[in-house]
Amino acid sequence: MAMVFFAPKKTQGQQYNYVILQAYSDVFHAYDFNRPATPYRQPFLFNHNRHNEVNLNLASAGFKLINSKYRANIMFQAGTYVQDNLAAEQSSLRSIQEASIGLPLHKSRKWWFYAGIFPSHLGFENANSIENMTLTRSLVAENSPYFLSGAALTY
């Protein structure tokens, strides 16, 4: 879900500034008929992995700033997805889903340079279940990155 609070029409060369608020949540309940001894269903899955519990798989919230001189994006996350999938990350960084800043490289504002943490472009699935073709995840998706850090050049 995204909400645009202020978005005037853009014209060539005009200054513009607006904010987009974003929020997402994924709540689940799963029951494993094998009745595992621990709350975890399988040791190799990172999503929807709790047995007989109502849980928050992923909740995220953040905003985008779109300005004629810069762009910024930050999304924070929480839930069992974060606990399981990002357990090896530094605890101070686990709550960051996306964080990037973009600057125009030309006065036409057609070329932009971005740096930060981005959603992964690898694979068919991502962390937000609603954007996947099926709710169940493939093992390939479980072992591919959900985020990448680096830089990007766009036109």
Side-chain angles (χ1 to χ4, degrees):
M1 175 180 93
M3 296 174 66
V4 178
F5 276 95
F6 177 69
K9 284 189 172 184
K10 295 189 298 184
T11 60
Q12 187 67 23
Q14 181 186 22
Q15 300 293 318
Y16 54 90
N17 186 33
Y18 57 97
V19 177
I20 300 173
L21 294 180
Q22 304 173 100
Y24 172 80
S25 69
D26 175 8
V27 177
F28 75 100
H29 177 270
Y31 187 85
D32 187 338
F33 288 103
N34 290 324
R35 296 184 188 150
T38 68
Y40 293 90
R41 291 174 42 227
Q42 298 97 359
F44 53 86
L45 295 178
F46 300 113
N47 289 281
H48 311 105
N49 194 27
R50 300 299 199 281
H51 167 64
N52 203 20
E53 297 177 1
V54 175
N55 264 305
L56 177 67
N57 183 56
L58 179 64
S60 58
F63 61 90
K64 290 183 180 184
L65 297 174
I66 309 294
N67 186 288
S68 55
K69 296 180 182 176
Y70 64 89
R71 295 174 182 170
N73 181 32
I74 184 119
M75 289 286 289
F76 296 101
Q77 62 185 353
T80 58
Y81 159 83
V82 177
Q83 294 168 0
D84 297 344
N85 201 32
L86 303 176
E89 301 294 329
Q90 294 177 359
S91 61
S92 60
L93 298 177
R94 288 181 201 153
S95 63
I96 300 173
Q97 188 178 43
E98 296 179 37
S100 63
I101 188 159
L103 299 170
L105 296 179
H106 189 265
K107 64 183 177 182
S108 68
R109 295 182 185 90
K110 291 182 180 180
W111 289 93
W112 286 79
F113 176 79
Y114 293 91
I117 301 170
F118 305 98
S120 178
H121 64 281
L122 302 174
F124 296 109
E125 301 173 9
N126 66 40
N128 295 342
S129 298
I130 198 169
E131 297 174 4
N132 297 332
M133 287 192 267
T134 62
L135 178 61
T136 57
R137 296 187 190 272
S138 63
L139 291 179
V140 171
E142 291 292 354
N143 294 297
S144 62
Y146 288 109
F147 68 91
L148 301 169
S149 58
L153 181 65
T154 65
Y155 177 79

